[in-house]
Amino acid sequence: MPTIVPPYLLDRIAETAGTRYPLAAEAARRALLREPPARLGPSSPGLPLTDAYGLPSALPDAPSTPDRRISDAQGTERLPGRLVRREGERATGDEAVDDAYDGLGDTHRMFDRVFGRDSIDGLGMPLEATVHFGDNYDNAFWDGERMVFGDGDGEIFRGFTDSLSVIGHELSHGITEHTAKLRYQGQSGALNEHVSDAFGALVEQYALGQDAEAATWLIGEGIFTAEVQGRALRSMLEPGTAYDDDVLGRDPQPGHMRDYIETVEDNGGVHLNSGIPNRAFALAARRLGGFAWEHVGRIWFDTLTSGELGEDATFAQFADETVRQAERRFGAQSREAEAVRDGWQQVGVLAEAGQG
Amino acid sequence: MDVFVARSGGLAGIRLTWHVKVDDQPDADDWFVLIEEIPWDDVPAAPAEPDRFTWDIRCEPAEARHPAAGTTDPTAAEPNPAGPKGAEPKATEATLAERQLTGPWRQLVDRVRETTEPQREAPRAPRSR
Ligand SMILES: [Zn+2]
């Protein structure tokens, strides 16, 4: 069984996170008890581990083996741009290049070690990204082959590689394209967006060793400049509250089916209505507590890869499938299945208790 | 002639709109030449690219300002006492994926963005059903 939490993190969390993240500390202690001692690393608990050069290392655990290729569009909109950093090459000193490299590594590691999926196709395909795309380009996207990141305009948006949840979001679009293929329009498109937010958030939580209680559930924290009145692009837990700014306006995301937005723009509001499943996911995760990738993450990954989901799946069909997958993995009467069902009921996607 | 450009989608889901009154531009003739080159009916299908921007471009005669078919954008609704003239061209509109935004499309959008500042609009307020 693959180690879900890097042992170094368990160590550190158990030792030091007690006051700030009591649940994480507790969970880490429990997980450490299950770990064979050999996995706990060479140093005594609480002491930083060191790498081959005797320097404190951020990632002493056995890493996954991504194949990253970062290119630089040098301010143009031409793809792929100039290849500037390949797997195993040292940091370039260009922050966007190195942040993309590190973020793809973190994302690859979570999918590989938690869900057993090696890269986007499950077969170790290269993770390709282009940074410095366009002139003051206020966006990041997945073009079907690679992740593309703009530098932002410097007034509202900083560089889009500044947020690990954004990097995880983009890579997850690739995974959805290779698994459930949710069509990027209307409800299935909002689910496509939701899946990217969900796994983007989990990548960040996994890297930080945060449990569901400690997690921010924000997508794109650190993307706005200090001028903007806002914390992030989106809040999974409280859709509609991520920003409220003179220039940007208010975060328009709904968090309940009664507020579902019908629009022709944005492929039918895929970045708006994703707030509804986002909230269902975060509510279920918080109700279960502990590390979200261990329960709702697994259930959602099972849903994505089950082959049972139509490409045009509606919110209700997706919700039913998550409940089925929760029952399959954790048991029909499990608290996991109950929490997932309850999350969907709270956002008005599944009917209230009483009927199945 | 009025040019309206709306950019929607994108990772942040934030909508921007631009509006240029071509008749008020010192180089109005250049604008008309450029708009003439736009292949309105020749927008090839593009593959979906998650999080990439979508561009909506609309040109309308200034004398007959009414919302064009297929759009819900209310920014054009500005009553004009002069009334419609018979010979004015009809409003034209197209929606393009960003990777289709090339040639005269791209030139027009770049020119609009150089000429005026964008308005940021929240998408329609959530409505209860
Ligand atoms: Zn997305």
Side-chain angles (χ1 to χ4, degrees):
Chain A
M1 178 151 171
T3 310
I4 296 165
V5 186
Y8 79 97
L9 255 181
L10 292 176
D11 259 322
R12 204 174 72 203
I13 295 162
E15 282 297 306
T16 65
T19 48
R20 216 171 138 212
Y21 306 125
L23 283 179
E26 163 66 22
R29 274 190 291 273
R30 275 191 284 110
L32 278 170
L33 294 176
R34 295 197 299 265
E35 284 291 335
R39 298 295 308 238
L40 293 180
S43 65
S44 45
L47 287 179
L49 298 167
T50 55
D51 68 10
Y53 303 97
L55 299 168
S57 168
L59 297 170
D61 61 317
S64 63
T65 53
D67 179 7
R68 290 165 285 187
R69 297 171 192 181
I70 315 295
S71 299
D72 183 347
Q74 299 171 300
T76 72
E77 295 193 9
R78 286 191 294 276
L79 292 171
R82 195 167 63 91
L83 183 61
V84 289
R85 190 172 176 194
R86 271 175 301 210
E87 189 60 43
E89 291 181 353
R90 66 177 65 205
T92 62
D94 179 319
E95 203 178 321
V97 172
D98 297 331
D99 284 352
Y101 186 90
D102 293 343
L104 292 184
D106 285 337
T107 308
H108 183 276
R109 189 167 58 245
M110 185 197 68
F111 276 104
D112 188 57
R113 302 191 60 185
V114 179
F115 306 120
R117 188 175 184 88
D118 180 7
S119 187
I120 287 170
D121 62 350
L123 300 168
M125 82 180 246
L127 297 173
E128 303 205 53
T130 295
V131 298
H132 298 310
F133 178 83
D135 176 21
N136 291 318
Y137 191 77
D138 269 344
N139 202 14
F141 62 89
W142 164 255
D143 84 340
E145 292 174 1
R146 62 178 50 247
M147 290 148 273
V148 182
F149 299 93
D151 290 331
D153 55 37
E155 290 175 1
I156 290 170
F157 291 105
R158 301 157 43 131
F160 282 77
T161 48
D162 285 352
S163 164
L164 181 54
S165 57
V166 165
I167 295 172
H169 176 108
E170 295 309 331
L171 198 153
S172 299
H173 275 310
I175 291 187
T176 297
E177 193 170 296
H178 282 260
T179 53
K181 299 183 170 63
L182 290 160
R183 199 165 68 89
Y184 206 65
Q185 182 71 41
Q187 288 201 7
S188 57
L191 288 167
N192 192 320
E193 272 305 307
H194 155 64
V195 164
S196 274
D197 278 354
F199 288 106
L202 293 186
V203 168
E204 204 166 277
Q205 292 170 23
Y206 183 67
L208 295 171
Q210 283 180 330
D211 68 6
E213 196 63 41
T216 63
W217 297 101
L218 296 172
I219 301 300
E221 199 176 11
I223 286 293
F224 288 134
T225 65
E227 312 302 311
V228 175
Q229 297 292 311
R231 298 173 293 161
L233 297 176
R234 287 186 276 282
S235 166
M236 295 188 73
L237 189 60
E238 300 290 349
T241 66
Y243 56 87
D244 189 354
D245 179 81
D246 290 347
V247 177
L248 278 181
R250 218 180 89 197
D251 173 5
Q253 279 212 310
H256 193 282
M257 278 308 276
R258 64 175 165 259
D259 297 321
Y260 187 93
I261 298 170
E262 299 281 0
T263 172
V264 294
E265 288 181 347
D266 185 27
N267 296 91
V270 297
H271 292 90
L272 303 174
N273 294 316
S274 56
I276 297 167
N278 276 357
R279 179 162 164 79
F281 181 82
L283 287 173
R286 299 246 303 186
R287 176 164 165 169
L288 290 168
F291 295 122
W293 58 86
E294 289 186 342
H295 40 68
V296 285
R298 291 186 176 286
I299 294 164
W300 257 244
F301 186 80
D302 289 347
T303 300
L304 211 57
T305 53
S306 66
E308 300 291 321
L309 207 58
E311 294 178 14
D312 286 302
T314 62
F315 284 5
Q317 289 166 341
F318 185 91
D320 282 340
E321 189 57 27
T322 60
V323 172
R324 246 193 311 279
Q325 293 299 334
E327 291 173 347
R328 184 173 297 175
R329 182 176 277 276
F330 294 101
Q333 307 302 321
S334 61
R335 52 191 291 271
E336 287 82 1
E338 182 50 39
V340 168
R341 198 180 290 112
D342 184 67
W344 290 114
Q345 286 168 351
Q346 287 198 52
V347 301
V349 169
L350 292 185
E352 287 298 324
Q355 53 272 13
Chain B
M1 180 73 75
D2 283 13
V3 180
F4 299 90
V5 173
R7 190 188 80 183
S8 68
L11 172 70
I14 292 171
R15 182 174 189 267
L16 292 187
T17 59
W18 293 260
H19 174 197
V20 172
K21 294 183 175 179
V22 174
D23 302 301
D24 296 350
Q25 301 303 314
D27 52 351
D29 287 353
D30 289 353
W31 283 82
F32 284 120
V33 170
L34 178 53
I35 291 165
E36 269 303 303
E37 287 176 26
I38 301 275
W40 293 100
D41 297 322
D42 185 20
V43 181
E49 290 175 272
D51 296 329
R52 202 157 186 190
F53 293 128
T54 298
W55 293 84
D56 189 78
I57 301 161
R58 182 158 52 95
C59 292
E60 334 192 319
E63 301 296 309
R65 240 177 256 156
H66 54 79
T71 180
T72 50
D73 185 343
T75 54
E78 192 178 296
N80 190 326
K85 279 186 201 166
E88 283 289 339
K90 288 206 173 68
T92 38
E93 179 175 18
T95 300
L96 288 86
E98 189 167 64
R99 73 157 60 193
Q100 298 171 308
L101 199 68
T102 55
W105 296 107
R106 182 66 195 226
Q107 288 173 39
L108 180 62
V109 166
D110 283 349
R111 193 157 195 160
V112 165
R113 295 179 71 178
E114 284 159 17
T115 303
T116 185
E117 289 294 308
Q119 301 282 308
R120 288 172 197 278
E121 291 175 23
R124 267 146 296 284
R127 63 167 174 244
S128 300
R129 335 177 173 185

